[in-house]
Amino acid sequence: MLSFLFSQMLPRDQAGDNLSSVVEFVLLGFSDLPNFQGLLFGIFFLIYLFILTGNGLLIIITRVDSVLQTPMYFFLANFSSLEIGYVSVTLPRILVSLSTQDRNISWLGCATQMCFSHMLGAAECFLLVVMAYDRYVAICNPLHYPLVMNHKKCIQLAVGAWLSGVPVQIGQTCQIFSLHFCNSNQINHFFCDIPPILKLACGDTFMHEIAVYIVAMLFVAVPFMLILTSYSKIISTILTLPTGRGWAKAFSTCSSHLLVVLLFFGSATITYLRPKSNQTAGIDKLLSLFYTIVTPMFNPMIYSLKNKDVIAALKRLLLKKIV
């Protein structure tokens, strides 16, 4: 369906109804480091394997271990699935570029990559909100928790998070790729992202930049504020607990999620909401590495090393395999 929509906007020499003269782009990526291509390939390949393995294990143990059949781990399994999909949109293309030095990407391929990366990114933002809401209900309304976070409600929240960015991101991608690209076809980035693509457009892009800010506010700033609101209520509730042990238990269930939120939203906010005058290609690449690669790499460690239930479930799984 996405391919059909984007094919309707192909440049004139492919489809006949667009003024653009660009039929493919060149992802410069890490071409400014010619002596480190092999090293970078090895690093990114190991990172990709680690992300697939770590998040895959989290999905498996939350599905097969009876102790982890709770809403919190249901959402964690969804989050791990999102991370795998999100990274798989960008990292394999980076690995191909580093190994073959072929940095060309078709117009349609670039549009598809950008659309999927932003749809999955939006889904992550709202799933983090759902996970914060789950912790809010568990800590602030523990007696009503089983009733409020029932199985049907959990599925509805997860599906809503997955689909939250689909229509908006398809529309935004169509809007951006309907622009006239004539300055250059070289994208100074390692994947097709909005800021570097807008720099290639001819004419006035002010309204498109405003639209990007509005979408970023909707999918980054608003979810972040909702998460902060949830945690402000969680912290105020924790402070009323009578014992230090209760404090420690409550904080331990929230600290992992809060750390992921700060890593993901911090880099994404700076990337999409900082003034255009402060945007440089080097900083954009560094920030993008954080929310596209570094955060998904750390997620399995953050959620497993700080969680006794996950560690115990992993031990039980490994013990079954050995036996």
Side-chain angles (χ1 to χ4, degrees):
M1 180 180 176
L2 287 177
S3 298
F4 173 76
L5 287 173
F6 297 149
S7 66
Q8 303 307 302
M9 303 186 301
L10 284 172
R12 171 170 289 177
D13 45 357
Q14 288 190 24
D17 15 313
N18 196 289
L19 294 174
S20 178
S21 59
V22 173
V23 297
E24 69 175 7
F25 294 96
V26 178
L27 288 168
L28 296 181
F30 304 98
S31 59
D32 54 339
L33 302 170
N35 298 326
F36 297 94
Q37 299 295 293
L39 177 61
L40 288 172
F41 175 84
I43 292 173
F44 284 125
F45 181 73
L46 291 175
I47 288 174
Y48 190 43
L49 283 182
F50 182 81
I51 291 171
L52 294 179
T53 305
N55 285 288
L57 275 175
L58 281 175
I59 295 170
I60 291 171
I61 61 176
T62 54
R63 294 288 295 175
V64 303
D65 197 287
S66 58
V67 178
L68 302 184
Q69 301 300 307
T70 64
M72 182 175 75
Y73 295 109
F74 170 77
F75 293 130
L76 178 57
N78 275 267
F79 189 71
S80 294
S81 301
L82 264 175
E83 292 287 53
I84 291 174
Y86 188 51
V87 171
S88 296
V89 172
T90 55
L91 249 180
R93 187 66 186 79
I94 295 173
L95 293 174
V96 170
S97 296
L98 289 171
S99 61
T100 65
Q101 302 304 306
D102 179 12
R103 298 185 175 89
N104 294 329
I105 183 170
S106 67
W107 188 96
L108 181 59
C110 190
T112 303
Q113 185 188 57
M114 192 183 83
C115 187
F116 273 100
S117 65
H118 283 85
M119 283 195 301
L120 293 172
E124 280 203 27
C125 291
F126 281 101
L127 190 58
L128 286 169
V129 174
V130 171
M131 294 169 76
Y133 175 71
D134 172 68
R135 293 299 83 208
Y136 160 74
V137 178
I139 294 174
C140 300
N141 297 289
L143 297 179
H144 296 93
Y145 182 72
L147 181 63
V148 175
M149 300 304 292
N150 57 67
H151 184 64
K152 182 180 179 181
K153 182 68 170 293
C154 290
I155 292 177
Q156 289 174 340
L157 289 171
V159 171
W162 277 88
L163 299 179
S164 59
V166 172
V168 174
Q169 296 304 336
I170 290 177
Q172 185 175 59
T173 302
C174 292
Q175 181 189 49
I176 289 174
F177 279 86
S178 65
L179 290 170
H180 183 200
F181 299 105
C182 61
N183 293 331
S184 170
N185 70 335
Q186 295 186 343
I187 302 173
N188 195 2
H189 214 299
F190 54 84
F191 76 103
C192 293
D193 200 10
I194 294 176
I197 290 177
L198 278 179
K199 291 179 181 178
L200 305 182
C202 299
D204 186 12
T205 61
F206 177 74
M207 294 307 298
H208 292 84
E209 291 168 12
I210 293 297
V212 171
Y213 274 105
I214 293 173
V215 172
M217 290 293 292
L218 179 63
F219 289 103
V220 178
V222 172
F224 186 61
M225 294 304 296
L226 291 173
I227 292 171
L228 288 182
T229 301
S230 295
Y231 273 101
S232 65
K233 295 183 178 181
I234 288 171
I235 292 172
S236 63
T237 301
I238 290 174
L239 294 177
T240 63
L241 296 176
T243 63
R245 185 179 178 183
W247 286 23
K249 184 177 180 181
F251 273 118
S252 67
T253 61
C254 299
S255 58
S256 299
H257 178 251
L258 194 55
L259 182 57
V260 171
V261 167
L262 292 176
L263 283 172
F264 183 80
F265 279 98
S267 54
T269 299
I270 297 172
T271 299
Y272 292 103
L273 294 178
R274 79 183 193 277
K276 185 179 179 180
S277 58
N278 295 335
Q279 294 179 5
T280 61
I283 295 176
D284 283 345
K285 290 181 187 178
L286 182 62
L287 291 170
S288 298
L289 279 175
F290 265 94
Y291 66 83
T292 59
I293 297 174
V294 175
T295 302
M297 179 182 67
F298 281 121
N299 282 346
M301 293 187 288
I302 292 172
Y303 280 112
S304 59
L305 294 179
K306 295 177 65 63
N307 193 306
K308 295 179 180 179
D309 291 336
V310 172
I311 294 174
L314 185 58
K315 288 180 179 178
R316 287 192 292 270
L317 179 65
L318 293 176
L319 184 60
K320 286 181 182 180
K321 294 294 182 182
I322 294 172
V323 173

